[in-house]
Structure formats: C-alpha cells, structure tokens
Amino acid sequence: MLFNRSVPIYKTLKPQSDAFRHIVIINYDKTNWLKYSRIFRAQKKVTILIFQNTKDFGDLCESFCNEDIEIRLHAALESLLEDVVMILNNSRIGDYYYLSGDESFMWNIVDIAQKYGIEDEFINLSKYGNKKNVYCSHCHAINICDDCNILNCNTCGSKLLVRKHFSRSLGAYLGVFSHDMQR
Amino acid sequence: METIEVRVSEVSQPAENIKTFKLKPIRLIRLPMFSPGSHIIVKINLKGKELYRAYSLINDPWNTDYYEIAVLKKENSSGGSKYMHEAVMDGDELHISYPVNSFMINKKANKHILIAGGIGITPFSSYLHYFVRYEYNYELYYSFKSPGKGVFHDAFMRELKNYFYYISGDNVHIDVLDVLVNQPSGTHVYVCGPQSLIDNVIKTTTFLKWPEHNVHYEKFDFIPQGRYFHFHLEKTNKSGNVPSDKTLLEVLEEMDINIPYGCRVGACGLCATNVLSGEIEHNDIFLNESQKTSQNIILPCVSRSKDKIVLDL
C-alpha cells in the first residue's frame, strides 16, 4: 500500500526477494546512493536510473556495476522520464519499482507507472528531501515548494495554506486559499 | 426477491446441450442496463417448488431491448437446467431478478486475459462486446469438449482477433502457465469454468507472484444439492430443515426470514450470516481461508452444514 487514508506511506528501500527484476529510480543524494548501492549489490537483474549527474559516479560504477546491475544516468528529468516509460513499456508482472527522492520526484513517476498498470504493491517509496507538490484549489496548478506550509501559487498568485491531505491522483498536497481556513 | 416479468421470445440451440433464450420485457419498454459480466436469477416454479438459478447475460450490454442467457443441460440435472431445456418455450413468461455483477471487468487493467472452460464462456460474451467496442487489449482462451459443444465458437472465429481454442476431448488443454508467464504489468486474468480450471489458474498465478486482485474467477458449476441438515435461529427461536435439493437461503425465505442477498452464487457476500455453532460446509468463493476456517460465518445461498447449525438470526 502506498497510503494510509490520505497520507502517503514511505519506507526504507528493501529488495523484494521474489522480484523478477528490480528497477531502482533515485534522485541522487550521495548518502542515499551509498546506502542503496550496498542494498542492491547482492541482487540480480537490477536496473538503476539515477537523476542528476555526479562527478564521483564513475568510481562508484566501477566498483558496483556488473552483469546483473545496470546503471543509467540522467542529467535531465525529461530524459529520465523517457527512460522510465521505456522500462514500463516492457515491464512484466513481478518487476518491482523502488523510488527514492523527494515527493515531487517520486509522485511524478508513480503517476506514470500507474498509467502503465503497475500495482501499488510493486512500488516501494522511500522519501528524502523536502520538496513537495502542492495543488492550488483555485486555479488547479501544481506548485513545487520546499517543505512549505504556506505559499503563493505560481500561476494565480493566491496565498495557499498547505493541508495534510495528499491526493494520489494528483500526486500533490491540497493547497487551499489561506483565508478559507481563517473563517 | 424483486422480479421483472419477461417473455421468452426466442429459443435456439447453438451447441450440443446448450440452449439460448431471449427474454423481452412485458411491462417495461427496456430492461435495466447492466455491466459486462452480470448475471440474472431466474425464478423457476417446479411442481410447486420455487427454485432460483443464476445465468450470465450474454448479449451486448448496450442493447437492453432484451436479455439473453445460455443454459447448459446438465447430465445429472434434477431441476433448473432440465426445466429450462424441456419446459420453457417461446412465449412463456418468466420472472427474473435485476442484473447483479460479481464478476466485473477491472477497467484500470492494461491487458485482460480470459480463460473459459465449457459453459464458463457465458460471462465473457458480454465482456467481449465491451472489449471490442472500446478496443481493449485482451486474449481469450476457450476450452470445450468437442467441436459441437463450443457455444459462440464460430462467431469468435469470425469476429475476434486474439482467440485461442482448445478441444479437451482431443486431449488438447489450455497450458495455463504458458499463457500467464511473462505477462505485462497491469494484466488481469479472469477465469470461469470447472473448479479444476479455476484451481489451476489460482495455483499458477500464486506461483508467478501475481497480485491476488489481478485474478478474478467465477464458478459456474455450483450444484446446490447437498446433504440434508437442520438449523436453528437463535434470536427468533425458530428451527427448520434444509432438504438436499434446496439452499439454506431458499428455506429461510420460505419461512419469511428475509436476509439481504445479491448474487445467490456465493460470490458477493451480501447474505453472509453469523454462525453460533455447527460445522459449515463452505461452497462460496467470497470468504477467505481464515474466515472459512473460523467456522463462524456462512453464505446461506450456497453453503451448507454437515449436520446441525445455529444461526445468529
């Protein structure tokens, strides 16, 4: 399950022993990368997509990549998402998806994965970083903010209060006109 | 049971031992809309005894000028199918329930695999109208005993693209593992047919680690006959006996003990009733294993007791 009521559930990434393939999609962070590289090193049929190019990646790959583990680096989000779609097009029942990054990053990918029929139980989410999507209830725009409670909508300029309710279909928290909450 | 009066307008025999019946409304202009996979319950009055039999609707859900059902005449039939085959004629009046669906299409799936054995093809007939209309990604695997026993087979050959058939009389069977292995994520499988086929699909999907909710099944060969047993209703302090050719639900209705029900084939769970004591013989596909093992809940539309049972009614 990815939710408990309207609150997303995040876990520590843990490889599923019965997975057919492991697809790891991470928004790069050095600490997390070291952790995940240790976790998935012993697994077979692993594809890791990393967003954000890094200088020290070469060294890591040399010690990490082998015939069972493939790493693909993406400096642009668009290119990562194209790669995700390519993987989803060939996805089989039994493939597990492990996503790690901030909420904005992960829910973007969850949205695409679900359009390809990936069930919740094949998706594992591990959150780090504070960026989140906020849905403007007035103009319907999605804003990205850094662990905010109040923000001004980038599209209509409304002052939004960020509620705890998370919409799985939008991959965003609900932002309501802050005056609505004061009435 | 709230019923709709219909008139049998056309009876035909498209395959050995299988008759189809078109049912037109008597008082309504059109019959109620239904979703693919729905069934109706036909009320049969057999020598003064009321029987209820569930039959899948096989016509296009977009055309509710009539309903159409297909009935297999079972070799050991003591009631329903024999009556439908031998006594029901063009122009006869029947009473049917509103459509009920306990075998729905999952519209979020990105591929649908249908596996049918024998008369288990019937719910898929309305599915296929839907799939073809909306260009869904599907495959149909249909097994029947001999060329003359495959109802709809000729039409499928003409009209369907992804249709595969197996003649079990020639010892050609569906290789379920071969069908289900390496299917894309988001695939759902639907199986209707004999228990052995359903078991095979469940076993295979479990082995292949399919999510449980991607596997859908409907049992068609349920025989309500069973052992005679006695029941007692604790709250109303009434007792009764269930003869071998009736269900507990039918006997309760005869006693004017009306409990809610939906499908009457052990699939929807609406008639679930608490059991205070007694050993239950579960025949439903609604309760999970732990509920069945706990022996404190029964679906009286299909399940029975081995001897005596006390219900919380």
Side-chain angles (χ1 to χ4, degrees):
Chain A
M1 292 300 289
L2 300 180
F3 282 87
N4 179 12
R5 294 178 182 269
S6 67
V7 180
I9 297 172
Y10 301 116
K11 298 172 185 169
T12 306
L13 294 195
K14 191 179 165 197
Q16 289 286 331
S17 57
D18 53 2
F20 179 64
R21 278 194 310 171
H22 306 273
I23 317 290
V24 185
I25 306 168
I26 59 173
N27 192 352
Y28 184 80
D29 166 272
K30 192 168 182 181
T31 318
N32 278 298
W33 164 246
L34 290 171
K35 193 165 74 182
Y36 301 143
S37 61
R38 273 200 304 275
I39 293 171
F40 285 96
R41 192 186 296 271
Q43 303 300 319
K44 297 203 163 165
K45 292 189 182 173
V46 182
T47 302
I48 303 178
L49 308 187
I50 302 176
F51 173 50
Q52 192 173 324
N53 213 336
T54 68
K55 285 179 186 168
D56 53 0
F57 170 75
D59 293 343
L60 282 171
C61 191
E62 272 172 30
S63 61
F64 187 64
C65 298
N66 60 43
E67 57 185 17
D68 277 317
I69 300 176
E70 181 193 5
I71 293 182
R72 303 183 197 166
L73 261 187
H74 293 276
L77 186 61
E78 290 73 21
S79 119
L80 175 104
L81 296 180
E82 276 173 23
D83 205 359
V84 169
V85 167
M86 206 169 76
I87 287 176
L88 289 167
N89 268 322
N90 297 303
S91 186
R92 291 282 175 266
I93 290 180
D95 289 352
Y96 277 81
Y97 291 79
Y98 310 86
L99 313 184
S100 180
D102 56 55
E103 288 185 310
S104 170
F105 174 81
M106 288 192 296
W107 287 100
N108 206 345
I109 294 164
V110 171
D111 183 42
I112 299 169
Q114 288 180 336
K115 285 188 178 117
Y116 281 80
I118 308 295
E119 310 282 341
D120 283 3
E121 60 211 86
F122 292 104
I123 301 174
N124 183 317
L125 303 177
S126 172
K127 182 189 162 193
Y128 74 84
N130 293 319
K131 275 190 189 164
K132 57 186 179 188
N133 291 337
V134 178
Y135 173 76
C136 174
S137 57
H138 296 270
C139 73
H140 313 290
I142 302 280
N143 298 268
I144 299 175
C145 75
D146 206 347
D147 199 24
C148 56
N149 291 322
I150 291 177
L151 84 158
N152 290 319
C153 174
N154 287 330
T155 308
C156 70
S158 298
K159 192 174 183 183
L160 301 175
L161 183 77
V162 183
R163 300 194 67 177
K164 284 184 181 168
H165 178 84
F166 189 88
S167 159
R168 65 176 302 153
S169 59
L170 298 166
Y173 289 91
L174 178 66
V176 296
F177 195 40
S178 61
H179 288 181
D180 289 349
M181 301 302 292
Q182 289 162 13
R183 278 177 198 160
Chain B
M1 179 172 86
E2 197 179 349
T3 57
I4 305 169
E5 294 168 338
V6 290
R7 192 170 307 285
V8 178
S9 73
E10 200 179 312
V11 181
S12 51
Q13 184 152 9
E16 275 174 47
N17 288 334
I18 296 173
K19 279 189 174 180
T20 58
F21 300 81
K22 273 190 182 173
L23 311 172
K24 288 191 169 172
I26 293 175
R27 294 177 199 280
L28 302 171
I29 295 170
R30 277 205 178 84
L31 288 161
M33 301 276 284
F34 67 94
S35 50
S38 294
H39 68 264
I40 53 166
I41 293 149
V42 178
K43 192 171 166 183
I44 294 167
N45 195 314
L46 192 66
K47 295 173 192 164
K49 272 198 310 186
E50 277 184 355
L51 298 177
Y52 300 91
R53 291 292 179 268
Y55 298 109
S56 296
L57 294 172
I58 62 171
N59 54 304
D60 187 340
W62 271 262
N63 183 1
T64 54
D65 289 341
Y66 63 89
Y67 287 160
E68 192 168 14
I69 56 173
V71 180
L72 168 74
K73 188 179 179 187
K74 290 177 186 163
E75 283 168 17
N76 55 354
S77 172
S78 61
S81 72
K82 190 176 176 194
Y83 177 86
M84 291 296 291
H85 269 254
E86 294 175 4
V88 176
M89 309 283 174
D90 269 2
D92 282 357
E93 194 177 313
L94 288 176
H95 289 249
I96 61 169
S97 71
Y98 282 79
V100 179
N101 198 342
S102 48
F103 195 45
M104 278 176 276
I105 295 171
N106 184 311
K107 292 178 185 170
K108 282 186 175 175
N110 58 12
K111 185 174 177 185
H112 306 263
I113 294 178
L114 314 180
I115 299 178
I119 194 69
I121 192 66
T122 53
F124 296 143
S125 174
S126 58
Y127 273 43
L128 290 159
H129 286 291
Y130 193 90
F131 289 166
V132 170
R133 185 181 298 260
Y134 287 112
E135 298 180 344
Y136 272 43
N137 183 9
Y138 73 89
E139 288 167 7
L140 169 64
Y141 299 84
Y142 178 24
S143 168
F144 46 90
K145 272 186 191 155
S146 61
K149 290 191 173 175
V151 64
F152 315 133
H153 169 63
D154 294 341
F156 291 163
M157 288 293 282
R158 277 194 313 272
E159 293 161 20
L160 301 182
K161 285 179 191 163
N162 303 315
Y163 170 49
F164 308 92
Y165 68 94
Y166 304 77
I167 298 176
S168 57
D170 292 345
N171 218 15
V172 182
H173 301 282
I174 302 173
D175 184 340
V176 175
L177 179 63
D178 193 47
V179 169
L180 298 179
V181 75
N182 278 331
Q183 286 296 342
S185 297
T187 303
H188 283 237
V189 61
Y190 309 78
V191 54
C192 185
Q195 190 62 46
S196 57
L197 183 65
I198 295 173
D199 290 344
N200 191 356
V201 169
I202 293 172
K203 212 166 70 182
T204 307
T205 51
T206 307
F207 172 71
L208 294 172
K209 317 281 185 208
W210 280 47
E212 265 180 39
H213 51 259
N214 287 28
V215 184
H216 314 265
Y217 48 91
E218 189 168 71
K219 219 168 145 181
F220 75 87
D221 65 349
F222 167 69
I223 302 164
Q225 283 90 347
R227 264 185 292 189
Y228 167 99
F229 66 96
H230 177 79
F231 66 87
H232 177 72
L233 310 179
E234 185 71 17
K235 284 180 186 160
T236 48
N237 196 25
K238 289 181 178 173
S239 296
N241 299 311
V242 182
S244 61
D245 61 345
K246 283 199 171 183
T247 66
L248 174 55
L249 181 62
E250 286 168 353
V251 175
L252 290 171
E253 284 171 336
E254 283 171 7
M255 292 169 67
D256 284 330
I257 309 286
N258 292 309
I259 58 171
Y261 65 84
C263 66
R264 298 184 84 105
V265 292
C268 75
L270 269 179
C271 64
T273 302
N274 288 332
V275 174
L276 301 173
S277 67
E279 202 176 344
I280 307 163
E281 203 174 79
H282 291 287
N283 291 315
D284 65 276
I285 55 169
F286 176 78
L287 299 176
N288 61 33
E289 279 314 306
S290 69
Q291 285 170 316
K292 285 182 180 174
T293 311
S294 72
Q295 291 279 310
N296 56 20
I297 190 160
I298 187 169
L299 265 58
C301 64
V302 293
S303 296
R304 309 179 70 86
S305 170
K306 290 187 176 166
D307 180 20
K308 264 189 205 173
I309 196 168
V310 180
L311 302 172
D312 189 19
L313 287 172

